[in-house]
Amino acid sequence: MSLVKEMWSGGQALDIRNLPMHPDAEAQIIQRPDEKYSFLHDCMITKYHGKIYTAWYNCPKGEMQEDSVIRGRISADDGRSWSEVKTFAQDHDQNFMYVPPSFGICP
């Protein structure tokens, strides 16, 4: 059985407090579903020019339903605090679906 199947069978929400982690890592919940966007998916996190950027794909009700929005937060203090939620991309005409990419910066 794979580690993923052992950790989550799909029956209930995965509790991140029980995930195996590197001893120097810290788990944080950056955003939960809210009244306007109950669906969050395809999250990413990256560090760029001293700031940590998170982003995720949001829809009001379910995957690829209604409005497609990429929202996220930014931290300038290594994750100790986060900005308010920002909208990075949105298709007001509902003709295009966005997915947040994650890019690495090579030194």
Side-chain angles (χ1 to χ4, degrees):
M1 179 179 286
S2 75
L3 180 59
V4 171
K5 284 188 175 188
E6 288 178 38
M7 291 189 306
W8 187 59
S9 65
Q12 58 183 331
L14 179 64
D15 185 345
I16 65 169
R17 296 171 294 187
N18 297 324
L19 291 176
M21 291 178 41
H22 187 278
D24 295 332
E26 178 183 324
Q28 291 186 27
I29 296 174
I30 305 299
Q31 180 69 19
R32 293 188 182 275
D34 56 33
E35 287 184 22
K36 186 171 182 180
Y37 295 106
S38 64
F39 183 84
L40 288 82
H41 200 272
D42 296 332
C43 57
M44 61 71 67
I45 186 166
T46 194
K47 192 167 188 176
Y48 183 68
H49 289 281
K51 294 181 180 179
I52 300 173
Y53 294 83
T54 64
W56 56 88
Y57 158 60
N58 271 141
C59 282
K61 296 181 182 174
E63 187 168 10
M64 300 177 81
Q65 294 182 16
E66 298 182 27
D67 202 10
S68 171
V69 181
I70 302 300
R71 300 192 315 157
R73 293 178 185 257
I74 301 168
S75 175
D77 59 8
D78 287 324
R80 288 184 291 280
S81 64
W82 294 92
S83 70
E84 293 296 316
V85 174
K86 299 177 181 298
T87 299
F88 297 131
Q90 182 172 16
D91 177 24
H92 296 284
D93 297 326
Q94 300 178 4
N95 293 321
F96 192 79
M97 296 301 222
Y98 291 101
V99 177
S102 181
F103 299 102
I105 304 300
C106 297

